[in-house]
Amino acid sequence: MPEIALGQSPAAIDQAVALLDAGQLIGLPTETVYGLAADADNADAVARIFAAKGRPADHPLIVHLGADDLLNHYAREIPEAAWTLAEAFWPGPLTMILKKAPGVSDVVTGGQDTVGIRMPGHPVALALLRTFAEAKRLAGKAGGGLAAPSANRFGRISPTAAQHVADELGDAVPLILDGGDCQVGIESTIVDLSRGAPEILRPGAISADQLSLVLGEPVSTRAKQSSPDAPRVSGSLASHYAPLTPLVVADVATIAQAAQDNRVAVIAREDAGLSEQSNVVILANHPAAYAHDFYRVLRELDAQGYEKIVVQALPDTVAWLAVQDRLGRAAHRELSDNG
Ligand code: TXA
Ligand code: MG
């Protein structure tokens, strides 16, 4: 099994930098979910990510940076809006899609002319990124970014704790930096700035309204069924993030009834009036708090051998959009089983 090391320890950071430098992979805590990181400037190392995850090669990765002056190494024709958003939201759960710089490998971008970039807001991720970039600089090499998708096997739930990464990937990752439970719990907001008007490709903790307020222009959200020529967002495959146990979404009356069947697990919110019992988990009735726990609870229930997971339907408001999106994808397997 991989080594799980205390992420705050300078020795662990040095060990991670040495492994990255040797073309190996690292499990990395971020404020959203754990990532599986490789040197973004080493195409062979990045290719190992796809092998470890079982991810198709045309699904692009996000490049993580510890300083925004590295943006110019990975992106070109950077619009003013990108600097404005970086200033307002980085480090934080926002990924920007920009035109890629010529030196960025096709392995990272899945052969596209654009690249996803973000600066994660987790102290361990930032410490690693900054130490790694400094090691590059001292060696007289350009770069220092880390390509990192979520550290789950393809199509599975993103990990929000170090142990989840070990459970998902085993020996494919030699070292996992433990940074505790992820604060946000779902993946970053992705905004496309590569084609003019900003457009959200994946909703997350940072909302369209927040981006719009800072940019002083409207920010739209792309509908889930994206057109075939749109940039490929692997999260946009409808079945992404699915647990193996069939999952359905239901109203309060239905979940109350389901809770009486011990073969069925129920995820309810505080307002449902159910009490916590072995097959019933109550989550907060607030989107940020719900997002914090959602993947962990799904993962735990998925491992317990229930016949079905029944989740209380979420409020149909923009505040719940990002969580709604992840719940919809988790439910998709059941929907497609039903034809
Ligand atoms: O919060 C996050 O974003 C986490 C942490 C680890 O940073 N990362 C993450 O990576 O969710 P991943 O690979 O699981 O999802 C990244 C998404 C994918 O859906 C990918 O298709 C999309 O970003 N993406 C990356 N580059 C893109 C590009 N050039 N154009 C469109 N979408 C892109
Ligand atoms: Mg992912």
Side-chain angles (χ1 to χ4, degrees):
M1 282 310 268
E3 181 184 348
I4 298 182
L6 199 63
Q8 286 87 343
S9 136
I13 298 280
D14 287 345
Q15 191 190 350
V17 168
L19 285 164
L20 291 166
D21 203 38
Q24 297 296 311
L25 307 181
I26 291 298
L28 176 71
T30 84
E31 80 283 35
T32 57
V33 300
Y34 274 71
L36 179 64
D39 178 353
D41 292 79
N42 179 339
D44 292 339
V46 175
R48 286 203 181 98
I49 293 178
F50 290 88
K53 279 184 63 101
R55 176 162 166 153
D58 63 352
H59 287 270
L61 306 178
I62 295 172
V63 176
H64 295 66
L65 306 182
D68 55 13
D69 53 11
L70 271 180
L71 259 175
N72 286 305
H73 179 70
Y74 296 101
R76 69 173 205 278
E77 298 168 37
I78 301 170
E80 198 50 42
W83 297 109
T84 305
L85 292 182
E87 176 72 27
F89 296 107
W90 282 1
L94 180 70
T95 297
M96 298 193 244
I97 306 298
L98 300 167
K99 289 184 181 152
K100 81 172 186 82
V104 178
S105 165
D106 280 343
V107 186
V108 173
T109 65
Q112 302 188 58
D113 189 39
T114 55
V115 60
I117 303 183
R118 88 174 187 103
M119 188 188 298
H122 190 292
V124 172
L126 287 172
L128 178 66
L129 283 161
R130 289 168 184 169
T131 309
F132 182 61
E134 180 62 9
K136 282 262 182 193
R137 198 185 62 79
L138 290 174
K141 295 183 199 152
L146 295 176
S150 52
N152 50 283
R153 293 196 49 81
F154 184 66
R156 302 276 295 125
I157 303 161
S158 294
T160 57
Q163 185 59 48
H164 301 167
V165 182
D167 295 344
E168 285 280 332
L169 299 170
D171 289 330
V173 53
L175 176 68
I176 301 164
L177 295 178
D178 191 346
D181 283 348
C182 298
Q183 212 186 331
V184 176
I186 58 172
E187 306 81 354
S188 60
T189 303
I190 301 181
V191 63
D192 188 353
L193 298 177
S194 71
R195 345 168 131 206
E199 187 183 29
I200 291 182
L201 304 184
R202 179 175 73 184
I206 295 175
S207 69
D209 280 351
Q210 281 173 283
L211 298 178
S212 179
L213 200 66
V214 166
L215 291 176
E217 63 175 310
V219 174
S220 60
T221 301
R222 180 173 300 171
K224 239 182 259 169
Q225 247 61 38
S226 51
S227 62
D229 67 336
R232 286 158 296 214
V233 181
S234 72
S236 73
L237 289 178
S239 68
H240 219 61
Y241 316 125
L244 297 174
T245 312
L247 182 150
V248 292
V249 178
D251 59 22
V252 175
T254 310
I255 60 161
Q257 194 153 31
Q260 294 172 24
D261 183 346
N262 278 325
R263 294 164 303 176
V264 174
V266 167
I267 302 178
R269 281 177 289 115
E270 293 153 337
D271 66 339
L274 297 186
S275 42
E276 190 107 16
Q277 55 189 62
S278 67
N279 67 327
V280 177
V281 179
I282 312 287
L283 292 183
N285 196 17
H286 182 280
Y290 192 104
H292 177 273
D293 293 331
F294 181 58
Y295 282 159
R296 177 183 53 77
V297 167
L298 268 189
R299 184 176 287 275
E300 286 168 4
L301 292 176
D302 200 21
Q304 288 171 30
Y306 288 104
E307 283 178 9
K308 191 158 68 168
I309 301 172
V310 183
V311 183
Q312 182 186 355
L314 299 173
D316 196 10
T317 60
V318 280
W320 285 90
L321 186 69
V323 181
Q324 188 83 256
D325 172 77
R326 305 315 191 274
L327 175 58
R329 296 173 200 287
H332 183 79
R333 192 182 300 266
E334 172 71 2
L335 295 177
S336 62
D337 283 350
N338 290 344

